Amino acid sequence: MSIHRRQAQALFDRALMGQAAREALVKLNPRHLFRNPVMFATVVVAVLSTILTLRDWGSAHMAVMAQISLWLWFTVLFANFAEAVAEGRGKAQASALRGARSGTMARKLASANGDTAQLVPAETLRINDLVLCEAGDTIPGDGDVVSGIATVDESAITGESAPVIRESGGDRSAVTGGTRVVSDRIVVRISADPGQSFLDRMIALVEGAKRQKTPNEIALSILLVGLSLIFLIVVATLPAFASWSASAIPVVFLLALFVTLIPTTIGGLLSAIGIAGMDRLVKFNVIAKSGRSVEAAGDIDVLLLDKTGTITLGARQAAEFLPLSNVSERDLAEAAFLSSLADDTPEGKSIVVLARNRFGLTEPVGMDMVFTAFSAHTRMSGANLGGSEIRKGASDALTAYAVEKSGRTPPKDLAQIVEKVAKAGGTPLVVARDGCLLGVIHLKDIIKPGIRDRFATLRAMGIKTVMVTGDNPLTAAAIAAEAGVDDFLAEATPEKKLELIRDYQKGGRLVAMCGDGSNDAPALAQADVGVAMNTGTQAAREAGNMVDLESDPTKLIEIVMIGKQLLMSRGALTTFSIANDVAKYFAIIPALFLASYPQLQALNIMGLSSPQSAILAAIIFNALIIIALIPLALKGVAYRPASAATLLKRNLLIYGLGGLVVPFVGIKLIDMAVTALGLA
Ligand SMILES: Nc1ncnc2c1ncn2[C@@H]1O[C@H](COP(=O)(O)OP(=O)(O)OP(=O)(O)O)[C@@H](O)[C@H]1O
Ligand SMILES: [K+]
Ligand SMILES: [Mg+2]
């Protein structure tokens, strides 16, 4: 199965950079800065430092103080810039998603079978409005197909050129605004008000406008605030030591020292890392509704998948009528036909078609018929007509129903036929008339190609795959074996699916669920990561916290990798940032206090030129490192499947050790440059 990937964006697009630079200034708004405590502290220091510089204008340290103030402001601007670049890239992705939706006209209907349509602009459509869409039309908004069947070109949002089938009744009923009908006609019930379609809401998230901090981000922020407080105490007590000697250190130097020591690097890059994670998902045509779900994806250990429509193509079609030994094929076909006349599911429609083709059956006229629609709970459907009751459904459910109704044990050959169909991976639908069992309808479905290898990859990543299906155990076993899943649950109702997820979660596992049907919705909502297939129903797309625009359940591989990459990138940059701050302490303190304590000369291994040049170099380094790390924050640390311990060891080595060494080299070089240029 080929995973479609949107075209890669250049990491630094020029127009995007200009926009981000302007945004960085706008983000100086205190209301925005308040959300980021470390950056807020930096701004407070920048303001204080600016005031002190102006107050002491004309003093000996004036020039250095002015430069320090300037670099403090740059530190904040660079952090704002990092976030603005990440958001800008999100916006570019989002505009690609928007497609050609603006300016669409819609044909609004007064009722589902009304013929007269009124031409209205798409923006005026409201929930529950009915619109007619014919070949060539752009679908004016999100909704559910209420009647008809059509092929739809969804390439505007998925990038996939092959058209897909959308039809009323089954699990393939949802349509997305901006996609185009290729053939036939459908009536769509609009499911979202203007600006509230699921793409609109997701676009807002990708753009960062509606992004909320994830619990992990909040926890990390608290840690960063704690570290900042420790350094506040450290810096505040330093003057006490320095005042022993005559040469007091200017307050601006101490303020600058404070900013170099607090974790400004990770504080400045944190939100950019989060936004970039969601963005990377969009590249794979997966849209996350929250940053939290992307993080959870990094730790998933069980994946539940619905069978029909998720593992298989979901176009279950009636292939043959298999009557019991004392029943004619025509009688079975007729019962199946009558019970399916009002059955709106793809299965039901295909039964009507097969019966028509095989025996030329036609709809009875002038007969009172009462239909029982299919439900995932009863797992059967049917009709009452001319005094008789016809039912068809899942073999266990229907056999139990017939036994109760007639009081007779089911004939032996029924089990054999059911078994034959199921072992072939088909779905056996049993048919009964007035409690008398007639035979089996064989529904065929096809496993999505290439799925087996992808499940093997999931296994290698340590993720257990479990198929959950309303189908019988034999069919389930056959499909499970063919698809290569680790385990399966058969004859599952929506409640059972939900229960299974809760059980795993109680055992401390993090569960992902892929599904498409309305009956998957509760499970999708309960799972830590609920990936709805875009081909599915609107209910499923609402319930999940991610939507796969390509409806490929094995996309979870990419989703997990991106989640892991997000967690690793944040861990790596946090390690680097904190190691950096500690190293800076040892790099600058000796130089800063050399005048007061000449014995510190032994520690002054850096040989920085003067206290002024040392602190200026440190604050410049502190600002520039944010800019230098933006590419890593956006692209993420490379993830290759390996054990958690190996990954941790490697990252500690690179980012921990690197974080310790880099400031010594960087500050030394900047100190030399600053001195050579006569800036300090
Ligand atoms: N139109 C129908 N009329 C009667 N019975 C049906 C109909 N469609 C499906 N069934 C039976 O009901 C069972 C449950 O169907 P349902 O669509 O709820 O399954 P599910 O839980 O979504 O899992 P899966 O998608 O893997 O089948 C099917 O396996 C089939 O035996
Ligand atoms: K810092
Ligand atoms: Mg289903």
Side-chain angles (χ1 to χ4, degrees):
M1 192 172 304
S2 73
I3 299 292
H4 178 81
R5 216 189 140 144
R6 284 175 191 276
Q7 204 165 12
Q9 261 172 320
L11 193 55
F12 292 109
D13 172 88
R14 189 174 292 168
L16 210 140
M17 291 303 109
Q19 177 65 26
R22 280 189 295 277
E23 280 285 310
L25 284 168
V26 175
K27 284 174 186 280
L28 283 177
N29 179 343
R31 283 225 328 262
H32 176 264
L33 287 169
F34 203 71
R35 295 181 51 191
N36 186 337
V38 175
M39 278 303 135
F40 189 72
T42 309
V43 166
V44 171
V45 168
V47 170
L48 282 177
S49 162
T50 309
I51 293 171
L52 290 175
T53 306
L54 293 175
R55 191 195 68 181
D56 296 349
W57 202 253
S59 75
H61 295 308
M62 179 185 83
V64 175
M65 278 160 64
Q67 290 180 72
I68 287 176
S69 303
L70 200 66
W71 282 102
L72 282 168
W73 284 110
F74 275 138
T75 311
V76 182
L77 285 173
F78 289 170
N80 286 351
F81 179 73
E83 188 181 76
V85 172
E87 285 175 358
R89 287 163 61 80
K91 283 185 186 137
Q93 299 267 14
S95 68
L97 276 177
R98 275 197 188 94
R101 270 191 310 157
S102 50
T104 308
M105 292 301 278
R107 273 185 276 183
K108 196 172 150 185
L109 294 173
S111 69
N113 29 29
D115 289 328
T116 46
Q118 185 194 352
L119 213 58
V120 299
E123 307 87 75
T124 62
L125 294 173
R126 292 288 181 280
I127 292 182
N128 284 335
D129 278 353
L130 295 168
V131 292
L132 174 69
C133 302
E134 286 178 324
D137 289 355
T138 297
I139 297 177
D142 287 5
D144 273 306
V145 180
V146 289
S147 78
I149 174 167
T151 50
V152 177
D153 173 3
E154 298 196 332
S155 61
I157 55 161
T158 64
E160 191 64 62
S161 54
V164 290
I165 290 171
R166 293 288 171 264
E167 64 183 318
S168 59
D171 286 350
R172 298 186 296 173
S173 61
V175 289
T176 308
T179 57
R180 205 170 48 81
V181 177
V182 180
S183 74
D184 304 288
R185 58 184 279 168
I186 44 176
V187 175
V188 174
R189 176 178 285 121
I190 297 295
S191 60
D193 282 335
Q196 291 297 312
S197 74
F198 102 106
L199 269 183
D200 285 322
R201 282 180 288 144
M202 290 179 192
I203 285 167
L205 279 165
V206 180
E207 288 177 340
K210 294 251 173 65
R211 214 181 82 88
Q212 283 180 329
K213 273 192 189 160
T214 68
N216 283 342
E217 283 174 340
I218 292 170
L220 183 55
S221 296
I222 292 170
L223 174 77
L224 298 183
V225 169
L227 278 173
S228 304
L229 285 177
I230 292 172
F231 281 119
L232 185 65
I233 295 165
V234 168
V235 173
T237 51
L238 281 176
F241 296 103
S243 63
W244 286 103
S245 86
S247 56
I249 298 175
V251 177
V252 170
F253 285 20
L254 291 175
L255 289 174
L257 178 64
F258 171 65
V259 169
T260 61
L261 297 185
I262 63 173
T264 45
T265 315
I266 184 65
L269 295 172
L270 192 56
S271 82
I273 296 169
I275 296 170
M278 299 185 80
D279 228 48
R280 241 169 277 141
L281 271 182
V282 176
K283 285 213 185 75
F284 282 99
N285 274 320
V286 176
I287 298 182
K289 295 194 206 168
S290 71
R292 182 185 198 149
S293 59
V294 187
E295 284 176 359
D299 288 327
I300 284 303
D301 35 32
V302 183
L303 168 62
L304 305 190
L305 307 113
D306 168 59
K307 175 177 76 73
T308 313
T310 304
I311 290 179
T312 66
L313 293 176
R316 270 193 296 207
Q317 299 286 307
E320 53 188 333
F321 296 112
L322 304 166
L324 293 175
S325 53
N326 56 344
V327 180
S328 78
E329 190 184 343
R330 197 193 156 93
D331 285 349
L332 170 63
E334 193 185 37
F337 176 77
L338 291 172
S339 73
S340 303
L341 278 174
D343 187 346
D344 218 8
T345 65
E347 289 86 351
K349 289 180 204 167
S350 76
I351 292 167
V352 172
V353 170
L354 182 68
R356 274 211 181 103
N357 291 348
R358 294 274 292 124
F359 298 102
L361 298 179
T362 53
E363 220 165 305
V365 276
M367 204 189 284
D368 255 358
M369 292 199 270
V370 181
F371 293 102
T372 305
F374 169 71
S375 93
H377 296 266
T378 59
R379 290 183 289 132
M380 46 191 211
S381 61
N384 290 8
L385 71 166
S388 79
E389 179 174 300
I390 309 175
R391 291 289 181 274
K392 67 172 195 291
S395 54
D396 62 319
L398 210 103
T399 312
Y401 151 86
V403 167
E404 189 182 313
K405 191 147 177 84
S406 69
R408 286 190 300 257
T409 50
K412 259 203 241 82
D413 53 339
L414 179 72
Q416 285 163 4
I417 300 173
V418 164
E419 197 177 311
K420 199 185 95 194
V421 172
K423 279 199 168 150
T427 297
L429 279 194
V430 175
V431 184
R433 190 170 198 151
D434 297 323
C436 173
L437 290 158
L438 300 177
V440 173
I441 310 165
H442 180 177
L443 298 176
K444 269 194 179 157
D445 199 357
I446 298 169
I447 290 191
K448 291 184 183 171
I451 216 161
R452 209 188 156 82
D453 295 343
R454 305 269 297 162
F455 284 144
T457 310
L458 280 168
R459 197 168 304 119
M461 292 166 85
I463 296 169
K464 178 176 172 178
T465 49
V466 184
M467 182 180 90
V468 282
T469 174
D471 234 326
N472 69 82
L474 279 178
T475 307
I479 299 284
E482 197 181 335
V485 290
D486 296 322
D487 203 352
F488 67 86
L489 174 73
E491 285 164 3
T493 55
E495 292 77 18
K496 276 198 194 156
K497 293 184 184 184
L498 195 61
E499 215 174 285
L500 185 66
I501 296 186
R502 291 219 172 106
D503 282 349
Y504 276 121
Q505 286 173 332
K506 272 191 213 126
R509 320 282 290 268
L510 233 58
V511 183
M513 160 90 194
C514 291
D516 68 334
S518 299
N519 58 349
D520 298 321
L524 284 169
Q526 174 69 28
D528 301 285
V529 178
V531 188
M533 305 290 103
N534 192 44
T535 54
T537 59
Q538 197 63 27
R541 301 202 304 196
E542 288 287 338
N545 50 19
M546 290 189 189
V547 176
D548 179 17
L549 296 176
E550 291 168 301
S551 309
D552 171 2
T554 70
K555 197 73 83 61
L556 205 87
I557 295 175
E558 278 72 27
I559 297 174
V560 168
M561 290 230 237
I562 288 167
K564 285 196 191 295
Q565 197 182 24
L566 171 75
L567 297 177
M568 272 174 48
S569 303
R570 193 160 59 203
L573 285 170
T574 305
T575 311
F576 185 88
S577 177
I578 292 172
N580 236 278
D581 295 330
V582 173
K584 271 179 257 170
Y585 186 83
F586 292 101
I588 8 172
I589 292 279
L592 212 50
F593 289 90
L594 208 52
S596 317
Y597 295 96
Q599 42 296 29
L600 278 178
Q601 186 57 48
L603 285 179
N604 189 18
I605 44 168
M606 299 268 289
L608 302 180
S609 326
S610 68
Q612 292 89 304
S613 71
I615 192 69
L616 186 58
I619 202 77
I620 293 176
F621 172 84
N622 191 59
L624 290 181
I625 196 77
I626 296 180
I627 289 284
L629 290 175
I630 290 178
L632 187 63
L634 294 184
K635 273 170 54 184
V637 172
Y639 168 74
R640 260 166 262 114
S643 80
T646 316
L647 290 173
L648 185 70
K649 231 190 296 175
R650 205 185 61 200
N651 284 338
L652 272 183
L653 199 70
I654 299 176
Y655 296 97
L657 209 60
L660 287 175
V661 174
V662 170
F664 283 93
V665 181
I667 291 175
K668 179 69 189 174
L669 289 176
I670 299 174
D671 177 80
M672 283 160 62
V674 160
T675 312
L677 293 171
L679 295 175

